[in-house]
């Protein structure tokens, strides 16, 4: 399967803490993307990191990519209750298909 | 605002009764996608259009068909829905290959 795996499957933290989610994948990639999904809704694109990049920031989000280990991490700093959602990594192998990971369910407790 | 719109948001159909889900976009993107997402699972790509070129995933059942009559609209037809087809169906668009995708809110399909 080309699907990535995310770790942990579920994460519960207090508001203000940092949340880290990890993604591992199996094939060479063009880029890796992170998406957020609120319960019962569509996905929202958060950040895209290309295979030649190692780190990228967007607001409270920090994404790293290690192509030698085929892994990526998403760090959300100073979490808020509104960050409660499922987070998916998705790999793009340049075929116009995105292969989504299994997702991490994040709960931020006010 | 530019966006991806899906109708209806909730659809109930009977076992074996054909159903059509619709998606429209105001982003003028070249690529449109249909995903199936079952409860607590990752979205699974069914097929996508690059302009008018249709690309079917190898494991997408023949029961699922798609039409893209113009740049703005794309339809998902399920010819004979089974109980296993109950899921959230997500439409997405992207400007081109290897760009971020913009998702609609989804249509939740129930099969009775």
């Amino acid at each position: 399967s080309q699907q990535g795996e995310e770790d942990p499957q579920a994460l519960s933290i207090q508001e203000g803490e940092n949340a880290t989610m990890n993604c591992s994948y199996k094939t060479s990639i063009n880029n890796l993307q992170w998406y957020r999904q609120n319960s019962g809704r569509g996905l929202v694109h958060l950040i895209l990191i290309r295979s030649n990049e190692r780190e990228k920031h967007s607001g409270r989000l920090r994404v790293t990519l290690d192509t030698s280990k085929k892994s990526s991490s998403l760090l959300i700093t100073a979490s808020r209750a509104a960050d409660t959602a499922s987070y998916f990594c998705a790999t793009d192998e340049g075929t116009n298909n995105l292969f989504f990971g299994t997702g991490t369910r994040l709960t931020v407790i006010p | 605002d530019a966006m991806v719109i899906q109708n209806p948001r909730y659809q109930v159909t009977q076992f074996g009764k054909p159903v059509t889900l619709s998606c429209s976009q105001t982003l003028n993107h070249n690529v449109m996608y249909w995903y199936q997402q079952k409860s607590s699972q990752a979205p699974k790509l069914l097929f996508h259009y690059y302009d008018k070129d249709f690309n079917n995933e190898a494991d997408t059942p023949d029961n699922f068909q798609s039409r893209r009559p113009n740049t703005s609209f794309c339809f998902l037809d399920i010819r004979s829905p089974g109980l296993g087809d109950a899921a959230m169906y997500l439409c997405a668009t992207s400007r081109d290959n290897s760009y971020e995708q913009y998702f609609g809110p989804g249509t939740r399909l129930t099969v009775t």
Side-chain angles (χ1 to χ4, degrees), chain A residues 6 8 11 17 23 25 28-29 41 46 48 56 67 69 78-79 90 93 100:
Chain A
E6 294 187 57
L11 178 61
E17 294 181 337
C23 169
Y25 57 92
S28 298
I29 61 171
R41 305 299 301 273
L46 295 176
L48 182 153
K56 206 161 184 181
T67 53
K69 295 181 179 178
S79 63
E93 300 166 7
F100 283 85

Side-chain angles (χ1 to χ4, degrees), chain B residues 64-95:
Chain B
F64 291 86
Q65 304 285 320
S66 185
R67 296 170 283 134
R68 189 179 185 185
N70 53 51
T71 300
S72 301
F73 285 87
C74 196
F75 300 96
L76 170 61
D77 300 309
I78 308 176
R79 293 192 295 186
S80 182
L83 297 178
D85 296 328
M88 175 77 87
Y89 289 89
L90 297 165
C91 173
T93 72
S94 67
R95 184 167 25 138

Side-chain angles (χ1 to χ4, degrees), chain A residues 3 30-31 33 35 37 40-45 48 50 88 92 94-103, chain B residues 9 31 33 35 37 40-43 45 48 50 57 88 90 94 96-101 103-106 108:
Chain A
Q3 185 181 62
N30 216 23
N31 65 57
Q33 304 179 33
Y35 288 81
Q37 185 177 36
R41 305 299 301 273
L43 284 79
V44 175
H45 179 262
L48 182 153
R50 302 204 179 276
F88 293 90
D92 176 349
T95 61
N96 218 17
N97 295 357
L98 275 185
F99 295 97
F100 283 85
T102 50
Chain B
R9 292 292 312 279
V31 194
Y33 308 81
Y35 290 87
Q37 186 180 27
S40 302
Q41 295 185 19
L45 183 66
H48 74 274
Y50 190 102
E57 290 301 294
M88 175 77 87
L90 297 165
S94 67
D96 208 320
N97 291 333
S98 298
Y99 281 79
E100 62 268 28
Q101 294 188 13
F103 282 79
R108 183 165 295 283

